[in-house]
Amino acid sequence: MQPKDTVAQFIADTHAHRFDEAKALLVEEGFEFVGPNMRFLDRDDMLSYQFGMAAIQKDLILRQLSADGEHVFAILDYRTNFEPIGDVRLAVWFRVRNGRIQTVEAFYNAAVVENMLGGNLPSAN
């Protein structure tokens, strides 16, 4: 599978709340997720957070997906059922190595998420 296909499948699995399938597309060791207000160094921790957010997810719309070798870039609209958040536009940079996603760097308006969670954001030690 090409890096772009791997990321497309990861996004589709996340959208459909198929977290076990999404997990299989992430490296077991050396994984890193970095966002503007959180960081995960373990894929299970990141997916647990995603699972918790699934309850407010109305839709996840892939607007753009492009690749440059192992680097894959996605623009997403994360639509929620939670009024204080509304919809969040995400830019996400994935790095895929040996058929699995190793790093995910997400860019979005962190203030919206911080307000929703009351400043209680997860982070890796």
Side-chain angles (χ1 to χ4, degrees), residues 3 6-7 10 25-35 39-43 46 70-74 91-107:
T6 300
V7 170
F10 177 79
L25 297 170
L26 304 173
V27 296
E28 293 178 33
E29 296 197 20
F31 174 78
E32 182 179 26
F33 171 93
V34 178
R39 182 173 182 221
F40 299 101
L41 298 176
D42 181 275
R43 66 184 188 168
M46 191 270 297
E70 67 182 16
H71 302 275
V72 182
F73 307 91
V92 188
W93 174 19
F94 298 86
R95 281 171 291 229
V96 179
R97 295 204 174 103
N98 300 319
R100 289 192 168 174
I101 298 167
Q102 181 165 10
T103 60
V104 180
E105 192 165 350
F107 304 88

Coordinates of all heavy atoms in Angstrom, one line a residue, residues 3 6-7 10 25-35 39-43 46 70-74 91-107:
P3 N 1.9 5.2 0.8 CA 1.7 6.0 2.0 C 0.3 6.8 1.9 O -0.4 6.8 2.9 CB 2.8 7.0 2.0 CG 4.0 6.2 1.3 CD 3.3 5.4 0.2
T6 N -2.4 4.3 2.8 CA -2.4 4.0 4.2 C -3.1 5.1 5.0 O -3.9 4.8 5.9 CB -0.9 3.9 4.7 OG1 -0.3 2.8 3.9 CG2 -0.8 3.5 6.2
V7 N -2.8 6.3 4.8 CA -3.4 7.4 5.5 C -4.9 7.5 5.2 O -5.7 7.7 6.1 CB -2.7 8.8 5.2 CG1 -3.5 10.0 5.7 CG2 -1.3 8.7 5.8
F10 N -6.5 4.9 7.2 CA -6.5 5.4 8.7 C -7.6 6.4 8.9 O -8.4 6.2 9.9 CB -5.2 5.9 9.0 CG -5.1 6.5 10.4 CD1 -4.9 5.6 11.5 CD2 -5.2 7.8 10.7 CE1 -4.9 6.0 12.8 CE2 -5.2 8.3 12.0 CZ -5.1 7.4 13.1
L25 N -2.6 0.3 11.5 CA -1.9 1.1 10.5 C -0.8 2.0 11.2 O -0.1 2.8 10.5 CB -2.9 2.0 9.7 CG -3.9 1.2 8.9 CD1 -5.0 2.1 8.4 CD2 -3.2 0.4 7.8
L26 N -0.7 2.0 12.5 CA 0.3 2.8 13.2 C 1.5 1.9 13.7 O 1.2 0.7 14.0 CB -0.3 3.4 14.4 CG -1.6 4.3 14.2 CD1 -2.2 4.7 15.5 CD2 -1.2 5.5 13.4
V27 N 2.7 2.4 13.6 CA 3.8 1.7 14.1 C 3.6 1.3 15.6 O 3.0 2.1 16.3 CB 5.2 2.4 13.9 CG1 5.4 2.6 12.4 CG2 5.2 3.7 14.7
E28 N 4.2 0.2 16.0 CA 4.1 -0.2 17.4 C 5.1 0.5 18.3 O 4.8 0.9 19.4 CB 4.3 -1.7 17.5 CG 3.2 -2.5 16.9 CD 3.5 -4.0 16.9 OE1 4.1 -4.5 17.9 OE2 3.1 -4.7 16.0
E29 N 6.3 0.8 17.8 CA 7.3 1.5 18.5 C 7.8 2.7 17.8 O 7.9 2.7 16.6 CB 8.5 0.5 18.8 CG 8.1 -0.6 19.7 CD 9.2 -1.4 20.3 OE1 10.3 -0.8 20.4 OE2 9.1 -2.5 20.6
G30 N 8.0 3.8 18.5 CA 8.5 5.0 17.9 C 7.4 5.9 17.4 O 7.6 6.8 16.7
F31 N 6.1 5.6 17.8 CA 5.0 6.4 17.3 C 5.0 7.8 18.0 O 5.4 7.8 19.2 CB 3.7 5.7 17.6 CG 2.5 6.6 17.3 CD1 2.0 6.7 16.0 CD2 1.8 7.2 18.3 CE1 0.9 7.5 15.7 CE2 0.7 8.0 18.0 CZ 0.3 8.1 16.7
E32 N 4.6 8.8 17.3 CA 4.4 10.1 17.9 C 3.3 10.9 17.3 O 3.2 10.9 16.1 CB 5.7 10.9 17.8 CG 5.6 12.3 18.5 CD 6.9 13.1 18.3 OE1 7.7 12.9 17.4 OE2 7.1 13.9 19.2
F33 N 2.4 11.4 18.1 CA 1.4 12.4 17.7 C 1.7 13.7 18.4 O 1.8 13.7 19.6 CB 0.0 11.8 18.1 CG -1.1 12.9 17.9 CD1 -1.8 12.9 16.7 CD2 -1.4 13.8 18.8 CE1 -2.8 13.8 16.5 CE2 -2.4 14.8 18.6 CZ -3.1 14.8 17.4
V34 N 1.7 14.7 17.7 CA 1.9 16.1 18.2 C 0.8 17.0 17.7 O 0.5 17.1 16.4 CB 3.2 16.7 17.8 CG1 3.4 18.1 18.4 CG2 4.4 15.8 18.3
G35 N 0.1 17.6 18.6 CA -0.9 18.6 18.2 C -0.6 19.9 18.9 O 0.3 19.9 19.7
R39 N 0.2 15.8 23.2 CA 1.3 15.0 22.6 C 1.1 13.5 23.1 O 0.9 13.3 24.3 CB 2.6 15.5 23.0 CG 3.8 14.7 22.4 CD 5.1 15.5 22.7 NE 6.2 14.8 22.0 CZ 7.3 14.6 22.6 NH1 7.6 15.0 23.8 NH2 8.3 13.9 22.0
F40 N 1.2 12.6 22.2 CA 1.2 11.2 22.6 C 2.4 10.5 22.0 O 2.7 10.7 20.8 CB -0.1 10.5 22.0 CG -1.4 11.1 22.6 CD1 -2.1 12.0 21.8 CD2 -1.9 10.7 23.8 CE1 -3.3 12.5 22.3 CE2 -3.0 11.3 24.3 CZ -3.8 12.2 23.5
L41 N 3.0 9.6 22.8 CA 4.1 8.8 22.3 C 3.8 7.4 22.2 O 4.6 6.5 22.0 CB 5.3 9.0 23.3 CG 5.9 10.5 23.3 CD1 7.0 10.6 24.4 CD2 6.3 10.9 22.0
D42 N 2.5 7.1 22.5 CA 2.0 5.7 22.4 C 0.7 5.7 21.6 O -0.2 6.4 21.9 CB 1.8 5.2 23.9 CG 1.3 3.8 23.9 OD1 0.1 3.5 23.7 OD2 2.1 2.9 24.0
R43 N 0.7 4.8 20.6 CA -0.5 4.7 19.8 C -1.8 4.4 20.5 O -2.9 4.9 20.2 CB -0.3 3.8 18.6 CG -0.2 2.3 19.0 CD 0.2 1.4 17.9 NE 0.0 0.0 18.3 CZ 0.0 -1.0 17.5 NH1 0.1 -0.8 16.2 NH2 -0.1 -2.2 18.0
M46 N -3.1 7.6 22.1 CA -3.7 8.5 21.1 C -5.1 7.9 20.7 O -6.1 8.7 20.6 CB -2.8 8.6 19.9 CG -3.2 9.7 18.9 SD -4.3 9.3 17.6 CE -3.4 8.1 16.7
E70 N 7.0 9.7 1.5 CA 6.5 9.2 2.8 C 5.7 10.3 3.5 O 5.1 9.9 4.6 CB 7.6 8.7 3.6 CG 8.5 9.7 4.2 CD 9.7 9.2 5.0 OE1 9.9 8.0 4.9 OE2 10.3 10.0 5.7
H71 N 5.6 11.5 3.1 CA 4.9 12.6 3.7 C 3.5 12.7 3.1 O 3.4 12.8 1.9 CB 5.6 13.9 3.6 CG 7.0 13.8 4.2 ND1 7.3 14.0 5.5 CD2 8.2 13.6 3.6 CE1 8.6 13.9 5.7 NE2 9.1 13.6 4.6
V72 N 2.5 12.6 3.9 CA 1.1 12.7 3.4 C 0.4 13.8 4.2 O 0.5 13.9 5.4 CB 0.3 11.4 3.6 CG1 -1.1 11.5 3.1 CG2 1.1 10.2 2.9
F73 N -0.3 14.7 3.5 CA -1.0 15.8 4.1 C -2.5 15.8 3.8 O -2.9 15.5 2.7 CB -0.4 17.1 3.4 CG 1.1 17.2 3.4 CD1 1.9 16.7 2.4 CD2 1.7 17.7 4.5 CE1 3.2 16.7 2.4 CE2 3.1 17.8 4.6 CZ 3.9 17.3 3.5
A74 N -3.2 16.0 4.9 CA -4.7 15.9 4.8 C -5.3 17.2 5.4 O -4.8 17.7 6.4 CB -5.2 14.7 5.6
A91 N -5.5 20.5 9.7 CA -4.4 20.2 8.8 C -3.6 19.1 9.5 O -3.2 19.3 10.6 CB -3.6 21.4 8.4
V92 N -3.3 18.0 8.8 CA -2.6 16.9 9.5 C -1.5 16.4 8.5 O -1.7 16.2 7.3 CB -3.5 15.7 9.8 CG1 -2.8 14.7 10.6 CG2 -4.8 16.2 10.5
W93 N -0.3 16.3 9.1 CA 0.9 15.9 8.4 C 1.3 14.5 8.9 O 1.5 14.3 10.1 CB 2.0 16.9 8.6 CG 3.4 16.5 8.0 CD1 3.6 15.6 7.1 CD2 4.6 17.1 8.4 NE1 5.0 15.5 6.8 CE2 5.6 16.4 7.6 CE3 5.0 18.0 9.3 CZ2 6.9 16.8 7.8 CZ3 6.3 18.4 9.4 CH2 7.3 17.8 8.7
F94 N 1.2 13.5 8.1 CA 1.5 12.1 8.4 C 2.9 11.8 7.8 O 3.2 12.2 6.7 CB 0.5 11.1 7.9 CG -0.9 11.3 8.4 CD1 -1.8 12.2 7.8 CD2 -1.3 10.5 9.4 CE1 -3.1 12.4 8.2 CE2 -2.7 10.7 9.9 CZ -3.5 11.6 9.3
R95 N 3.7 11.0 8.5 CA 4.9 10.4 7.9 C 4.7 8.9 8.0 O 4.5 8.3 9.1 CB 6.1 10.9 8.6 CG 6.5 12.3 8.2 CD 7.6 12.8 9.1 NE 7.0 13.1 10.4 CZ 7.1 14.2 11.1 NH1 7.8 15.2 10.6 NH2 6.6 14.3 12.2
V96 N 4.8 8.3 6.9 CA 4.6 6.8 6.8 C 5.9 6.1 6.4 O 6.6 6.6 5.4 CB 3.5 6.5 5.7 CG1 3.3 5.0 5.5 CG2 2.2 7.2 6.0
R97 N 6.3 5.2 7.2 CA 7.5 4.4 7.0 C 7.2 2.9 7.0 O 6.5 2.4 7.9 CB 8.5 4.7 8.0 CG 8.9 6.2 7.9 CD 10.3 6.5 8.5 NE 10.7 7.8 8.2 CZ 10.6 8.8 9.2 NH1 10.2 8.5 10.4 NH2 11.0 10.0 8.9
N98 N 7.7 2.2 6.0 CA 7.5 0.8 5.9 C 6.0 0.4 6.0 O 5.6 -0.6 6.6 CB 8.3 0.1 6.9 CG 9.8 0.3 6.8 OD1 10.3 0.3 5.6 ND2 10.5 0.6 7.9
G99 N 5.1 1.2 5.4 CA 3.7 0.8 5.3 C 2.9 1.2 6.5 O 1.7 0.9 6.5
R100 N 3.5 1.8 7.5 CA 2.7 2.2 8.7 C 3.0 3.7 9.0 O 4.1 4.2 8.8 CB 3.1 1.3 9.9 CG 2.6 -0.1 9.8 CD 2.7 -0.8 11.1 NE 2.0 -2.0 11.1 CZ 2.1 -2.8 12.1 NH1 2.9 -2.6 13.1 NH2 1.4 -4.0 12.1
I101 N 2.0 4.3 9.7 CA 2.1 5.7 10.1 C 3.0 5.8 11.3 O 2.7 5.1 12.4 CB 0.7 6.3 10.4 CG1 -0.1 6.2 9.1 CG2 0.9 7.7 10.9 CD1 -1.6 6.5 9.3
Q102 N 4.1 6.5 11.2 CA 5.0 6.7 12.4 C 4.7 8.0 13.1 O 4.7 8.0 14.4 CB 6.5 6.7 11.9 CG 7.4 6.8 13.1 CD 8.8 6.4 12.7 OE1 9.2 6.2 11.6 NE2 9.6 6.3 13.7
T103 N 4.5 9.1 12.4 CA 4.2 10.3 13.1 C 3.0 11.0 12.5 O 2.7 10.9 11.3 CB 5.5 11.3 13.0 OG1 5.7 11.6 11.7 CG2 6.7 10.7 13.7
V104 N 2.3 11.7 13.4 CA 1.2 12.5 13.0 C 1.3 13.9 13.7 O 1.5 13.9 14.9 CB -0.2 11.8 13.5 CG1 -1.4 12.7 13.1 CG2 -0.3 10.4 13.0
E105 N 1.3 14.9 12.9 CA 1.3 16.2 13.4 C 0.1 17.0 13.0 O -0.2 17.1 11.8 CB 2.6 17.0 13.0 CG 2.8 18.2 13.7 CD 4.2 18.8 13.5 OE1 5.1 18.1 12.9 OE2 4.5 19.9 14.0
A106 N -0.7 17.4 14.0 CA -2.0 18.0 13.7 C -2.0 19.5 14.0 O -1.4 19.9 15.0 CB -3.1 17.4 14.5
F107 N -2.6 20.3 13.1 CA -2.7 21.7 13.3 C -4.2 22.1 13.3 O -4.9 21.8 12.4 CB -2.0 22.4 12.1 CG -0.5 22.0 12.0 CD1 -0.2 20.9 11.2 CD2 0.5 22.7 12.6 CE1 1.1 20.5 11.0 CE2 1.8 22.3 12.5 CZ 2.1 21.2 11.7

